[in-house]
Amino acid sequence: MKEFKVTPIRNGTVIDHIDCGMALKVLRIIGMDGGNVQSPVSILMHVPSKKSGWKDVLKVEDRELDPRQVDKIALIAPRATINIIRDFNVAEKHNVKLPDVVIGKTRCANPNCITNQKEPVEPEFIVEGKNPPILRCVYCDRILENIADNLI
Amino acid sequence: MSFKGTDIVSIRDFSREQIDEILDLADKMIPYARGDKITKALDGKILSCLFFEPSTRTRMSFETAINRLGGRSLDMGTPSMTSIVKGETLADTIRMLEAYSDVIVLRHPHEGAARLAARFSQKPVINAGDGAGQHPTQTLLDLFTMRKQKGNMDGIKVAMVGDLKYGRTVHSLAEALTMFGAELTFIAPPSLQMPKETIKQVEKLGGKPKVKSKLEEVMSDLDVLYVTRIQKERFPDLAEYQKVAGMYRVELDALREAKSNMIIMHPLPRVDEISPEVDATPHAKYFDQAFNGVPVRMALLMLVLGGEL
């Protein structure tokens, strides 16, 4: 019999093909790192992947995440897939998709950028590359070097 | 294209053809800029100057430009005497100025300030320098000076020397010059060399910039030497500053190697980078360059306000 490190879930969402080491940050992005989470969450880190060597996987039971809400994941895990599980089967499968413009999801790493002052604007970036993501600040024109550390 | 109502935020927003259009009009503005001809092309138009940082040339040449075109300028004065000290946001200041004037010229210590201002204002905003970011009107007047002096920028050899890391004029100038086919050499100590991002951008535009640390290596080959100020405050140690500043000082002796028609440019203010003896040589074009700020800014004001001669 095949031994599972984490058992399959009956209903919920599996986020697969997360870049290695990014699982905890993905949890933060989808707002499931706080004390208000009512469903079991399993985190697999550094597991073998057929596609790309190693990967992280997240399983959230009894909750179906809205694929549009989780597109933000593409900022740090551009290859991730969102699988909606119903009765142990994959009912829906989506690839995360980075939009052409990212607004209000990550702050500019340049401390001298006008968006880091007390101005009534949200940080905004043009997506110049999707895999890996390359974001250019619309305001100060700088490339955002470390996206994961600047998520809002 | 019609420039009317266009913001001038970054040189990257403009194509080579659009830049040529601005420079062509600047050429026609020269007799008006000198006061040899009079025009009222922008009669009744008001320009507001919003300078959060010190400026001599940029501010005065904008004021001269609007005056020579028959318009008037409003000056916010020093920020410490305005509502900015009460904590007013730039967005609010801009919305107020938009109601008082037809075009806003902004210099601000934070990168991206002009882009923000342009978003809050229906009236055109002209970036007069945003932190270490862009200074497009300086880039345009630098291009104008080189085009005037050299006729054509295609294939000319330009060396930029000094503080290439923090000097805000050199980054956008390097990109624009590449667009016009100039061959670039960047000369600076390693700690002040051109940022990798700018070098990458120049290469993306088809340029093959050379990176050097000594001016002597390239002097004899140059058409244009573009000198920038090395700022004392960038060095933790005064002795180190003096050593570096001395290494890149342009002296009369060093120019013996130069071509007779090589020109020296500097965005000014200069401190010690160019020996005053050089001023009297035919190489020195930095004061012509400073004058060129007026016709170039007149051209921009004409274009964004839709003026006609």
Side-chain angles (χ1 to χ4, degrees):
Chain A
M1 192 182 130
K2 192 172 175 186
E3 189 186 320
F4 290 101
K5 288 193 178 76
V6 175
T7 53
I9 58 174
R10 177 185 286 275
N11 295 306
T13 307
V14 174
I15 306 176
D16 201 357
H17 301 292
I18 298 170
D19 289 31
C20 223
M22 289 294 174
L24 294 173
K25 287 192 168 124
V26 170
L27 261 193
R28 220 178 75 202
I29 289 188
I30 59 176
M32 302 206 69
D33 60 339
N36 59 346
V37 182
Q38 301 301 321
S39 39
V41 177
S42 318
I43 306 166
L44 287 91
M45 294 184 81
H46 211 262
V47 293
S49 158
K50 281 180 205 152
K51 274 192 198 166
S52 55
W54 299 92
K55 65 177 179 180
D56 290 359
V57 182
L58 276 181
K59 298 185 178 193
V60 183
E61 287 180 45
D62 303 324
R63 252 190 78 174
E64 292 189 5
L65 297 176
D66 179 350
R68 279 166 303 179
Q69 275 177 355
V70 293
D71 266 352
K72 207 167 152 183
I73 294 169
L75 288 169
I76 56 166
R79 286 184 295 268
T81 56
I82 312 293
N83 303 281
I84 305 296
I85 311 294
R86 289 179 199 133
D87 203 17
F88 294 111
N89 290 314
V90 177
E92 290 172 36
K93 190 175 178 117
H94 311 276
N95 294 315
V96 292
K97 223 173 101 188
L98 202 54
D100 295 331
V101 180
V102 173
I103 302 173
K105 294 189 168 77
T106 168
R107 69 179 69 83
C108 184
N110 171 12
N112 207 38
C113 177
I114 195 75
T115 58
N116 286 320
Q117 316 313 315
K118 285 178 184 158
E119 295 293 336
V121 286
E122 287 195 290
E124 186 173 328
F125 297 85
I126 299 282
V127 177
E128 291 195 345
K130 297 208 171 179
N131 191 6
I134 299 172
L135 307 188
R136 185 183 290 280
C137 176
V138 164
Y139 290 92
C140 77
D141 232 18
R142 301 266 179 98
I143 299 279
L144 180 56
E145 293 289 347
N146 196 344
I147 297 172
D149 288 346
N150 288 290
L151 292 167
I152 294 173
Chain B
M1 98 171 219
S2 167
F3 277 90
K4 195 172 175 189
T6 305
D7 302 302
I8 311 290
V9 173
S10 164
I11 200 79
R12 281 189 185 166
D13 298 342
F14 300 96
S15 67
R16 184 177 166 158
E17 290 70 30
Q18 289 168 326
I19 294 174
D20 271 328
E21 190 182 337
I22 298 167
L23 303 188
D24 289 344
L25 183 59
D27 231 350
K28 294 190 188 124
M29 287 294 152
I30 287 179
Y32 300 96
R34 288 195 202 285
D36 295 340
K37 282 187 182 176
I38 304 292
T39 174
K40 291 280 173 201
L42 294 183
D43 190 18
K45 298 289 184 191
I46 297 174
L47 169 146
S48 51
C49 270
L50 189 52
F51 279 66
F52 290 81
E53 281 190 326
S55 161
T56 314
R57 269 156 298 280
T58 307
R59 184 210 290 253
M60 289 185 71
S61 63
F62 264 114
E63 287 179 356
T64 306
I66 192 78
N67 279 303
R68 293 279 197 208
L69 291 166
R72 304 187 68 170
S73 70
L74 275 183
D75 190 342
M76 182 191 73
T78 46
S80 60
M81 298 294 284
T82 67
S83 292
I84 287 140
V85 280
K86 298 175 192 162
E88 185 174 55
T89 61
L90 176 63
D92 281 1
T93 309
I94 289 293
R95 281 184 279 208
M96 170 199 75
L97 277 187
E98 183 200 6
Y100 296 167
S101 53
D102 302 294
V103 55
I104 299 169
V105 175
L106 172 72
R107 171 169 290 185
H108 198 274
H110 291 121
E111 285 103 63
R115 186 75 69 196
L116 177 138
R119 288 198 166 186
F120 281 91
S121 170
Q122 298 293 315
K123 306 277 174 64
V125 170
I126 301 179
N127 186 2
D130 57 340
Q134 294 276 330
H135 191 357
T137 64
Q138 178 73 44
T139 307
L140 288 167
L141 78 89
D142 290 343
L143 293 172
F144 183 69
T145 305
M146 284 188 216
R147 197 177 83 160
K148 256 202 119 30
Q149 294 291 332
K150 296 288 163 196
N152 185 356
M153 283 179 274
D154 205 19
I156 61 166
K157 293 188 171 63
V158 182
M160 297 182 175
V161 62
D163 178 357
L164 307 184
K165 186 173 182 183
Y166 301 100
R168 77 178 138 206
T169 61
V170 285
H171 306 157
S172 44
L173 180 61
E175 289 179 26
L177 277 171
T178 307
M179 219 155 62
F180 281 88
E183 294 171 26
L184 303 179
T185 306
F186 303 137
I187 301 166
S191 61
L192 295 178
Q193 194 44 271
M194 194 63 98
K196 282 196 187 87
E197 206 184 295
T198 307
I199 294 182
K200 234 192 260 171
Q201 190 64 26
V202 165
E203 287 170 343
K204 217 164 114 185
L205 291 165
K208 292 188 187 96
K210 291 182 209 129
V211 176
K212 305 258 182 198
S213 59
K214 285 193 183 132
L215 184 54
E216 307 90 88
E217 291 177 49
V218 293
M219 186 62 102
S220 59
D221 208 24
L222 294 179
D223 298 302
V224 179
L225 176 61
Y226 192 96
V227 187
T228 62
R229 186 160 58 97
I230 295 180
Q231 295 177 49
K232 217 183 267 179
E233 55 272 26
R234 304 288 180 208
F235 291 85
D237 178 8
L238 188 65
E240 181 63 21
Y241 159 74
Q242 281 164 342
K243 195 176 124 202
V244 171
M247 260 174 80
Y248 295 99
R249 186 174 155 91
V250 179
E251 305 268 10
L252 209 49
D253 273 358
L255 295 175
R256 274 196 213 121
E257 299 289 314
K259 288 185 195 172
S260 60
N261 62 350
M262 186 274 280
I263 62 165
I264 303 173
M265 294 173 61
H266 190 305
L268 305 178
R270 108 182 113 162
V271 184
D272 292 319
E273 306 83 50
I274 303 174
S275 156
E277 295 165 344
V278 175
D279 298 358
T281 70
H283 301 295
K285 295 293 174 206
Y286 23 93
F287 294 113
D288 300 77
Q289 183 186 357
F291 164 75
N292 286 339
V294 179
V296 166
R297 290 176 175 121
M298 285 172 79
L300 282 172
L301 293 172
M302 287 287 279
L303 289 167
V304 303
L305 292 173
E308 276 177 30
L309 279 177

